[in-house]
């Protein structure tokens, strides 16, 4: 994934796939979408977890842009902010965060009422909701499995944002439920040893690791961008 221009004075997050569908960066998100499509031979892929070794790798920006290019294909898409440690999707899509995944998981709110439209056709977001004291426990619950199964009846594709695997067990726990994962590495920032440990951790889950995404590659290295597979 190429470096994106930083022109966000108000810290609002710039979603390139929404604002500039024909840019080379958006094209790379579409390539990832295509690769995901062909990664599942027997059964169409219906959900994926996006994670990384440490914080700041670009999980959330990747999950959001990927969700947009799925929705642009007119696939009903749900982006779930399951980073209950540092949720960001409500900022990214300028949504409320009073009700979200945490409320749905404790049975306080039905999924249908907690999801929000984003202004991008075919894309809804389930923000994190109030941060609970016990995220791993909630994410590992039977209720989480039920919520995902229910979401699958409402949407064609579900993308989960998550906390980093080396920090807390949440992503690994969630990967077991979601079944497929993508691992984001940030060029020039993610330490190789950490990336290796992060990959081992996520491979240790029951989820199928679909691939790694090399994010924020300097433009001069264009031929190396967007590793996948
Ligand atoms: N390819 C990129 N180009 C420019 N900025 C990026 C890129 N990837 C991530 N960022 C920025 O880096 C910060 C961390 O990204 P984020 O997606 O929030 O990481 P994570 O969710 O893994 O912690 C954000 O401010 C994001 O906008
Ligand atoms: Mg994040």
């Amino acid at each position: 994934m190429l470096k994106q221009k930083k022109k966000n004075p108000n810290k609002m997050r710039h979603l390139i796939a929404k604002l500039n569908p024909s840019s080379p960066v958006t094209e790379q998100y579409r390539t990832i979408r295509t690769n995901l499509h062909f990664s599942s031979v027997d059964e169409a892929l219906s959900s994926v977890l996006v994670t990384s070794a440490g914080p700041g790798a670009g999980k959330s920006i990747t999950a959001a842009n990927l969700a947009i290019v799925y929705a642009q294909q007119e696939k009903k898409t749900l982006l779930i902010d399951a980073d209950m440690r540092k949720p960001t999707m409500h900022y990214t899509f300028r949504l409320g965060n009073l009700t979200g995944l945490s409320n749905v998981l404790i049975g306080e709110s039905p999924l249908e009422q907690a999801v929000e439209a984003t202004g991008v056709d075919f894309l809804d977001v389930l923000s994190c909701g109030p941060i609970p004291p016990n995220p791993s426990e909630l994410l590992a619950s039977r209720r989480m499995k039920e919520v995902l199964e229910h979401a699958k009846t409402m949407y064609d594709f579900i993308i989960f944002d998550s906390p980093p695997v080396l920090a807390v067990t949440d992503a690994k726990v969630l990967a077991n439920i979601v079944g497929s994962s993508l691992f984001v590495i940030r060029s020039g920032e993610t330490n190789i040893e950490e990336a290796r440990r992060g990959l081992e951790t996520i491979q240790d889950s029951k989820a199928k690791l679909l691939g790694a995404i090399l994010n924020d590659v300097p433009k001069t290295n264009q031929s190396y961008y967007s590793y996948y597979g």
Side-chain angles (χ1 to χ4, degrees):
M1 202 57 48
L2 291 177
K3 199 172 197 68
Q4 297 176 31
K5 283 199 194 88
K6 293 192 176 74
K7 47 178 177 186
N8 261 346
N10 60 356
K11 279 189 131 186
M12 266 308 173
R13 295 178 147 220
H14 175 76
L15 288 171
I16 189 133
K18 178 181 174 192
L19 296 177
N20 194 351
S22 57
S23 89
V25 178
T26 309
E27 186 51 41
Q28 289 168 52
Y29 287 114
R30 278 194 291 269
T31 304
I32 296 169
R33 181 190 68 195
T34 307
N35 288 344
L36 289 180
H37 180 65
F38 286 109
S39 69
S40 38
V41 184
D42 294 330
E43 219 185 314
L45 185 71
S46 59
S47 55
V48 70
L49 175 87
V50 180
T51 195
S52 70
K59 292 177 292 300
S60 301
I61 204 174
T62 301
N65 281 296
L66 209 50
I68 292 171
V69 295
Y70 263 94
Q72 284 168 346
Q73 262 191 329
E74 306 198 347
K75 278 193 191 312
K76 274 197 86 185
T77 306
L78 178 64
L79 175 60
I80 299 183
D81 194 346
D83 186 347
M84 291 185 160
R85 314 285 173 162
K86 201 171 168 253
T88 54
M89 285 308 166
H90 55 291
Y91 298 126
T92 307
F93 289 91
R94 303 166 201 202
L95 304 169
N97 193 31
L98 287 177
T99 310
L101 179 62
S102 56
N103 307 87
V104 176
L105 288 178
I106 59 167
E108 204 174 68
S109 171
L111 180 63
E112 289 83 347
Q113 278 172 28
V115 298
E116 289 173 87
T118 57
V120 176
D121 289 344
F122 295 95
L123 177 61
D124 285 350
V125 164
L126 178 61
S127 52
C128 165
I131 296 183
N134 53 345
S136 348
E137 203 183 309
L138 274 187
L139 294 171
S141 64
R142 187 170 47 82
R143 179 90 185 120
M144 182 66 236
K145 290 195 186 95
E146 291 166 4
V147 169
L148 176 59
E149 286 316 307
H150 183 46
K152 284 183 183 174
T153 65
M154 296 164 61
Y155 296 92
D156 299 316
F157 196 66
I158 301 155
I159 300 181
F160 287 83
D161 189 17
S162 70
V165 280
L166 293 183
V168 283
T169 60
D170 304 16
K172 191 174 164 187
V173 154
L174 203 52
N176 284 330
I177 294 173
V178 177
S180 303
S181 61
L182 277 176
F183 190 82
V184 180
I185 294 169
R186 189 155 186 172
S187 170
E189 255 182 65
T190 307
N191 167 296
I192 293 179
E193 179 52 28
E194 276 190 10
R196 206 176 51 75
R197 277 197 292 128
L199 275 166
E200 275 170 12
T201 310
I202 202 76
Q203 278 177 312
D204 204 26
S205 74
K206 281 185 259 163
K208 185 174 169 200
L209 176 65
L210 298 175
I213 295 170
L214 186 60
N215 179 33
D216 208 2
V217 177
K219 281 206 171 115
T220 47
N221 286 353
Q222 280 209 15
S223 53
Y224 293 97
Y225 67 57
S226 189
Y227 260 17
Y228 186 82

